[in-house]
Amino acid sequence: MAARPRAAIVTYEERRDLTYPEGHPFRPERAFMLMDILAREGVLGESWLREVLAIPASYDELARFHTPGYLSLLEEASRGRMSLEMLEVGLGSADCPVFSGLHELAALAAGGTLLGARMLDKAEADVVFNPIGGFHHAGKAFAEGFCYVNDVVLACLYLADQGRKVACVDLDVHHGNGTEDALIDDARVLKTSMHESGRTLYPGGGFETRIGAGAARGLNINVPLPAGSDDDAFLRAFRGVIMPVLGAYGPDVVVLEIGMDVLAGDPLGHLRLTNNATAEAATLVRGLGKPVLVLGGGGYHPHNTARGWAVAFMSMCGVDTEDAYAGLVGGVFLGDCGRRGGLRDMRVYASGEERAAIDAEVERVIAFHQATTFPIHGISSNAG
Ligand SMILES: [Zn+2]
């Protein structure tokens, strides 16, 4: 049996009322589904896993990144008031609606992430998972892409301010544009994002050529994947680019966003991953032996998302999850597999011409990094 880390999970039990408006794709309730799964699997209550209650981030904590003007608009919006000024900063759009309690929810989620960052900094835990975290699209003074407060940036800044060498690993299907823009010039933080290409998905950027400049040159690593990419393509790029860079960089702490909108069947993304791949990537990150702050990110098929989080988190903690489909090849995606087949998805593969096109694009991006960013990190790419 693999060694158990000292793990913690951030919970929201006392604020089950805080949620996005009915019909909005972002469902914080996924966190409660995750807890139900962990309870069923017998993981909750284990001595190595602590449950820690989220506490709201303070004004000063939020103001480490966000502007005072934006924070006061967020508070006003949370009281249900609308103004033209809000629309100018993205508040009141279809993606970022104004609703009662939005400031409380955003501050609580960010507080959960900062709680995890503090626990890791004080060596009180090795792995902390905040399922309602990872709002990587929010800007310093604007909301976008379902995100109001950028807790990823707040965590990276907090840890860097404590003198830690930070690596941010963003695996959400969407490019972490808010994180990238905020930290592009910050040489204390390595930013890596694997995502569906901006050619086919919001927010439209995240190309490999943006690598940072000056002292932060080579510290922004984008790995865009073509629509339709499966586990093989994802893991080839992850092992081919992200892991070598992480290994060479040698972070003190990792902030890992595991958005489950990469999974096949997600209503927003067009990748075709299974939760086996996300669990493997998360486990590889954990294998660096450094503290990891895990943030839930996106994922718009609620049950698949909760299941994917459970498999990734349990795998990182060395808990075996049954693989009911081991040995099966091919097959079709079952949508919501539920409990019929255990926690793990049946693997799906791209084939034929689509496979060849995906492989060629993934190889092109890997070759770009081997030629351009690997030398900055002193990585020899002749193994490729
Ligand atoms: Zn996403």
Side-chain angles (χ1 to χ4, degrees):
M1 188 189 289
R4 300 272 191 264
R6 293 167 305 151
I9 187 155
V10 178
T11 68
Y12 294 82
E13 285 307 321
E14 290 174 8
R15 294 312 309 264
R16 279 188 176 244
D17 58 310
L18 290 177
T19 186
Y20 283 50
E22 189 88 29
H24 192 283
F26 191 89
R27 302 317 315 166
E29 294 84 352
R30 299 167 305 160
F32 303 116
M33 299 170 76
L34 168 72
M35 296 304 280
D36 290 344
I37 294 172
L38 295 179
R40 272 206 309 265
E41 296 295 319
V43 171
L44 291 188
E46 290 278 0
S47 59
W48 49 269
L49 177 60
R50 284 170 66 189
E51 292 174 54
V52 291
L53 203 56
I55 42 173
S58 69
Y59 179 86
D60 286 346
E61 285 173 330
L62 297 175
R64 175 67 184 85
F65 174 54
H66 295 285
T67 63
Y70 176 64
L71 290 174
S72 63
L73 284 177
L74 269 188
E75 283 186 19
E76 272 180 55
S78 195
R79 291 195 288 269
R81 267 187 248 154
M82 267 295 291
S83 67
L84 274 178
E85 224 184 332
M86 287 178 194
L87 287 172
E88 284 163 14
V89 298
L91 295 171
S93 64
D95 276 4
C96 297
V98 162
F99 60 94
S100 166
L102 98 81
H103 183 272
E104 286 84 345
L105 178 55
L108 191 62
T113 293
L114 287 169
L115 173 62
R118 282 194 301 273
M119 290 177 70
L120 296 178
D121 184 55
K122 292 181 189 152
E124 293 171 358
D126 305 310
V127 177
V128 182
F129 183 18
N130 178 17
I132 312 183
F135 293 94
H136 59 174
H137 299 305
K140 187 192 280 269
F142 60 90
E144 71 165 68
F146 313 162
C147 303
Y148 301 88
V149 165
N150 197 322
D151 60 307
V152 187
V153 170
L154 291 175
C156 290
L157 288 174
Y158 173 81
L159 290 163
D161 290 347
Q162 308 309 307
R164 306 289 170 191
K165 194 173 183 187
V166 183
C168 179
V169 179
D170 189 330
L171 302 181
D172 193 277
V173 81
H174 300 98
H175 170 230
N177 59 337
T179 312
E180 177 177 286
D181 289 342
L183 301 174
I184 188 79
D185 294 324
D186 195 328
R188 305 171 304 167
V189 182
L190 169 71
K191 289 75 59 182
T192 73
S193 181
M194 284 217 355
H195 45 261
E196 179 179 336
S197 169
R199 292 193 178 84
T200 47
L201 190 67
Y202 167 88
F207 298 106
E208 66 278 6
T209 46
R210 194 174 188 207
I211 64 169
R217 187 167 180 272
L219 294 179
N220 194 66
I221 304 286
N222 280 322
V223 181
L225 297 171
S229 289
D230 60 7
D231 289 0
D232 283 351
F234 173 88
L235 286 170
R236 190 158 355 122
F238 189 77
R239 289 179 185 278
V241 178
I242 307 291
M243 286 310 294
V245 171
L246 281 175
Y249 180 73
D252 298 324
V253 59
V254 180
V255 177
L256 174 67
E257 212 257 39
I258 52 166
M260 288 294 153
D261 38 15
V262 289
L263 297 179
D266 185 273
L268 298 191
H270 316 101
L271 299 189
R272 210 179 288 156
L273 267 59
T274 74
N275 61 25
N276 301 287
T278 41
E280 186 163 343
T283 306
L284 285 167
V285 169
R286 173 66 196 135
L288 294 167
K290 301 298 178 185
V292 188
L293 176 59
V294 187
L295 306 174
Y300 302 98
H301 185 302
H303 191 258
N304 286 353
T305 297
R307 213 155 34 83
W309 283 343
V311 174
F313 181 60
M314 289 165 69
S315 300
M316 290 180 85
C317 295
V319 179
D320 285 334
T321 48
E322 56 183 307
D323 188 351
Y325 298 111
L328 289 183
V329 194
V332 290
F333 182 67
L334 296 178
D336 186 353
C337 308
R339 293 289 297 159
R340 280 176 289 154
L343 288 178
R344 283 181 178 263
D345 291 330
M346 183 162 71
R347 289 174 175 79
V348 282
Y349 301 97
S351 60
E353 276 179 32
E354 185 188 26
R355 156 103 273 150
I358 290 168
D359 284 351
E361 175 60 8
V362 168
E363 290 307 326
R364 187 191 68 73
V365 173
I366 293 175
F368 171 87
H369 282 295
Q370 287 176 338
T372 311
T373 56
F374 280 20
I376 302 169
H377 292 277
I379 306 165
S380 134
S381 57
N382 53 16

